[in-house]
């Protein structure tokens, strides 16, 4: 094959990989009976469904399949042999098995409860859909075709990786074998679908049980300890590797984080304003990926300070369900905030981000103000629409500034601030909570900036260039 033919084949492989990633991501919007939230009056029936264990093997197979969202792009867009080997020896066989199990997956995707209610949600229940539009989500023929095309593309890209890398697939020594399994196990582990733990432990029950996930509980303490251990372990594993290898691993983590976070779209049934990815920790799934792919210095400053600070507050207040740690919403909460904290800290500690400089305070102020006033305007409009229409689709609580009941449940002393209220143009509500949140969070961000800045100054000044500068 000539050089031009190889370049053309490489471009085709990259385009096909991107198309597959889009299709695989959009699959999250479709109903899937494996992913569900427990809800009344079906608690007992759904728990019985989990307890029987009939679908565990499909859950494990889907878990293995989801890791391809990390492995395929890294194999196609980097020249690392380890990812090419993983795609050839793991992703490709898993994709073939998933394709052969099409009927089994379709059966569980369209699984129903005893009264005919579909277990899978996706986004088919959007209230703006008419019956015909909602019915498309439950068309078995269309869904089967989509599933088959998705896995045929994945197999095609995997075969392309195999053919283009076949000379480099042979393991050179024991070290390369160990690296293969280390990378494989790590990325498969962090690609876990948020519904998987439900199948190994009851995800709901008595809110007073030992492992109920709520503020100041043993479960919260276990989460904090596990986060520290995970962060230290990743740092120790990567600190002696090249900057490029560190960077690739962090990109892989953000890909897994992005896909895992958006897994909530599969079990919501409807994406309402409250669930728009506008909360500080929610937008991190997008910002982190953009930052690492574009190597944007200003965004990295926002990540290291504001996003991490917001996630730490989420650790403290634990604004989650009081059900068990394996409940799907709690697993999502834990996974999301763990990576929101760890990714920027690891990027800073591993030298992927440059040490903070005094001038970076400008990036922090700019990023914070753009984000805050965007949320202030959007949240105010949505709250105005809620008050005008009474339609709870518009209910939101971005930065905990718009829902008095939800916010005061976390911080009871702020309830009176919601009562100091004016309405602009007969539509746009403003309460005393909003300027207080702005000033308090800005003050905390500035304090955190200078703390990290002082710690950064203690590092060697003559370090080599980093991946983001």
């Amino acid at each position: 094959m000539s050089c031009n033919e190889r370049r053309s084949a490489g471009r085709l492989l990259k385009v096909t990989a991107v198309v597959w990633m889009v299709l695989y991501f959009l699959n999250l919007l479709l109903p899937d009976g494996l992913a569900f939230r427990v809800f009344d009056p079906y608690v007992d029936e759904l728990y019985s469904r989990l307890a029987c264990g009939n679908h565990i093997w499909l859950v494990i197979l889907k878990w293995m399949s989801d890791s391809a969202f990390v492995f395929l792009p890294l194999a196609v867009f980097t020249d690392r042999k380890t990812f090419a080997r993983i795609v050839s020896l793991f992703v490709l066989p898993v994709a073939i098995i998933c394709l052969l199990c099409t009927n089994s997956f379709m059966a569980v995707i369209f699984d129903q409860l005893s009264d005919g209610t579909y277990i899978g949600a996706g986004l088919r229940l959007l209230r703006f859909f008419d019956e015909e539009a909602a019915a498309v989500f439950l068309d078995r023929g269309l869904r089967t075709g989509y599933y088959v095309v998705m896995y045929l593309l994945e197999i095609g890209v995997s075969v392309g990786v195999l053919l283009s890398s076949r000379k480099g697939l042979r393991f050179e020594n024991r070290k390369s074998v160990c690296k293969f399994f280390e990378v494989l196990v790590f990325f498969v582990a962090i690609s876990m679908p948020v519904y998987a733990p439900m199948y190994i432990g009851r995800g709901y029950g008595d809110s007073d049980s030992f492992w109920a996930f709520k503020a100041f509980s043993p479960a919260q303490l276990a989460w904090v300890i596990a986060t520290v251990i995970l962060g230290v372990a990743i740092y120790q594993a990567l600190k002696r590797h090249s900057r490029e290898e560190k960077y690739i691993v962090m990109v892989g983590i953000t890909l897994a984080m992005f896909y895992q976070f958006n897994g909530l779209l599969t079990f919501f049934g409807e994406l309402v304003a409250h669930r728009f990815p506008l909360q500080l920790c929610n937008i991190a799934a997008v910002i982190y990926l953009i930052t690492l792919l574009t190597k944007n210095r200003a965004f990295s400053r926002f990540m290291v300070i504001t996003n991490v600070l917001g996630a730490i507050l989420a650790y403290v207040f634990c604004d989650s369900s009081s059900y068990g740690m394996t409940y799907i919403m709690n697993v999502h909460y834990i996974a999301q905030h763990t990576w929101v904290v760890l990714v920027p800290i690891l990027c800073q500690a591993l030298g992927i981000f440059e040490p903070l400089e005094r001038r970076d305070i400008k990036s922090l102020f700019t990023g914070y103000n753009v984000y805050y006033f965007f949320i202030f305007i959007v949240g105010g409009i949505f709250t105005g629409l809620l008050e005008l229409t009474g339609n709870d689709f518009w209910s939101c609580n971005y930065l905990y500034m718009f829902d008095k009941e939800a916010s005061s449940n976390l911080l009871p002393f702020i309830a009176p601030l919601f009562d100091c209220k004016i309405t602009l143009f007969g539509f746009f509500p403003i309460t005393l909570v909003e300027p207080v949140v702005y000033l308090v969070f800005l003050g905390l961000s500035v304090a955190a900036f200078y703390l990290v800045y002082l710690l950064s100054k203690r590092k060697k000044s003559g370090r080599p260039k980093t991946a983001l500068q």
Side-chain angles (χ1 to χ4, degrees):
M1 184 182 291
S2 66
C3 291
N4 288 335
E5 289 174 331
R6 282 198 295 269
R7 282 195 292 268
S8 297
R11 285 194 292 268
L12 178 60
L13 192 62
K14 290 177 180 178
V15 170
T16 308
V18 171
V19 171
W20 170 80
M21 290 181 73
V22 171
L23 289 179
Y24 205 84
F25 177 80
L26 292 178
N27 192 55
L28 292 172
L29 308 181
L30 306 177
D32 186 346
L34 287 177
F36 59 86
R37 285 185 293 171
V38 176
F39 50 93
D40 291 329
Y42 306 109
V43 171
D44 291 336
E45 186 174 354
L46 287 170
Y47 175 62
S48 298
R49 184 176 183 273
L50 289 175
C52 70
N54 291 339
H55 301 310
I56 289 180
W57 72 276
L58 288 175
V59 172
I60 295 173
L61 187 55
K62 185 62 167 63
W63 181 349
M64 302 300 104
S65 175
D66 285 352
S67 67
F69 198 82
V70 176
F71 292 132
L72 266 185
L74 291 183
V76 171
F77 289 93
T78 74
D79 59 357
R80 301 291 163 173
K81 292 180 182 179
T82 299
F83 292 111
R85 289 169 181 152
I86 291 173
V87 167
S88 302
L89 302 176
F90 177 78
V91 172
L92 178 56
V94 169
I96 292 172
I97 295 171
C98 286
L99 186 60
L100 294 175
C101 294
T102 297
N103 289 336
S104 297
F105 274 107
M106 288 304 110
V108 72
I109 281 172
F110 293 103
D111 204 357
Q112 295 173 275
L113 295 167
S114 56
D115 64 355
T117 301
Y118 282 96
I119 294 174
L123 296 186
R124 67 183 175 85
L125 300 179
L126 278 170
R127 66 191 69 187
F128 302 115
F129 283 167
D130 57 26
E131 291 185 6
E132 292 183 359
V136 172
F137 285 81
L138 299 175
D139 188 303
R140 193 181 183 100
L142 289 176
R143 185 64 186 277
T144 302
Y146 189 99
Y147 180 94
V148 169
V149 169
M150 185 174 69
Y151 278 104
L152 285 175
L153 279 176
E154 182 176 340
I155 291 170
V157 175
S158 300
V159 170
V161 171
L162 172 64
L163 294 176
S164 62
S165 309
R166 63 184 183 277
K167 293 182 180 179
L169 294 180
R170 183 176 179 180
F171 294 98
E172 299 92 355
N173 48 43
R174 183 179 297 180
K175 183 178 179 181
S176 63
V177 175
C178 292
K179 185 175 182 180
F180 171 88
F181 283 107
E182 287 170 359
V183 174
L184 174 63
V185 170
F186 173 73
F187 280 113
V188 168
I190 68 171
S191 298
M192 178 192 69
V194 292
Y195 56 82
M198 290 196 304
Y199 290 83
I200 60 173
R202 184 169 183 171
Y204 49 93
D206 187 355
S207 61
D208 294 323
S209 65
F210 182 79
W211 286 109
F213 192 64
K214 54 187 178 181
F216 311 112
S217 67
Q220 183 194 36
L221 177 61
W223 175 33
V224 173
I225 294 172
T227 300
V228 174
I229 293 173
L230 178 61
V232 171
I234 294 174
Y235 175 78
Q236 291 296 329
L238 292 178
K239 67 179 182 179
R240 291 184 177 86
H241 288 265
S242 68
R243 292 191 304 277
E244 184 65 19
E245 286 178 321
K246 295 172 185 175
Y247 172 74
I248 290 172
V249 169
M250 297 312 298
V251 169
I253 291 174
T254 56
L255 280 169
M257 173 188 175
F258 175 77
Y259 187 81
Q260 189 179 59
F261 166 75
N262 286 290
L264 56 81
L265 300 174
T266 308
F267 55 83
F268 268 168
E270 182 177 25
L271 186 61
V272 294
H274 177 67
R275 294 296 179 186
F276 289 175
L278 298 178
Q279 195 72 288
L280 190 59
C281 293
N282 294 350
I283 64 169
V286 177
I287 286 181
Y288 286 16
L289 192 57
I290 292 173
T291 302
L292 284 166
L293 293 179
T294 62
K295 301 182 179 180
N296 187 293
R297 180 188 175 96
F299 276 13
S300 72
R301 291 1 197 166
F302 189 80
M303 283 174 57
V304 169
I305 304 301
T306 310
N307 282 117
V308 171
L309 178 60
I312 289 174
L313 292 176
Y315 269 73
V316 174
F317 297 119
C318 208
D319 181 23
S320 59
S321 167
S322 60
Y323 294 148
M325 290 187 78
T326 60
Y327 178 54
I328 190 169
M329 293 302 294
N330 288 340
V331 174
H332 184 272
Y333 188 92
I334 291 168
Q336 171 192 352
H337 291 98
T338 297
W339 293 121
V340 174
V341 166
L342 288 183
V343 168
I345 292 175
L346 286 169
C347 285
Q348 194 74 47
L350 292 169
I352 296 171
F353 293 167
E354 283 188 327
L356 289 184
E357 299 178 11
R358 284 186 181 274
R359 62 188 175 93
D360 290 323
I361 194 71
K362 296 178 181 178
S363 297
L364 175 64
F365 271 108
T366 301
Y368 177 79
N369 281 295
V370 168
Y371 171 73
Y372 175 86
F373 286 106
F374 175 75
I375 294 303
F376 172 76
I377 293 170
V378 171
I381 291 173
F382 287 173
T383 303
L385 289 171
L386 173 65
E387 294 178 355
L388 284 175
T389 66
N391 188 339
D392 64 357
F393 177 89
W394 302 111
S395 177
C396 67
N397 198 26
Y398 310 133
L399 282 182
Y400 301 97
M401 299 191 302
F402 303 102
D403 187 324
K404 177 180 178 179
E405 181 178 356
S407 298
S408 57
N409 283 339
L410 290 176
L411 299 171
F413 61 86
I414 71 170
L417 300 180
F418 280 92
D419 298 327
C420 300
K421 175 180 176 181
I422 61 172
T423 301
L424 301 180
F425 317 115
F427 168 77
F428 192 93
I430 300 177
T431 68
L432 190 57
V433 170
E434 289 152 1
V436 169
V437 167
Y438 175 83
L439 293 173
V440 169
F441 207 89
L442 179 60
L444 290 173
S445 296
V446 172
F449 174 87
Y450 282 106
L451 175 61
V452 176
Y453 169 70
L454 292 174
L455 292 174
S456 298
K457 284 186 67 176
R458 297 177 60 183
K459 293 185 177 291
K460 293 184 298 183
S461 59
R463 57 197 284 170
K465 291 183 178 181
T466 57
L468 289 189
Q469 72 171 47

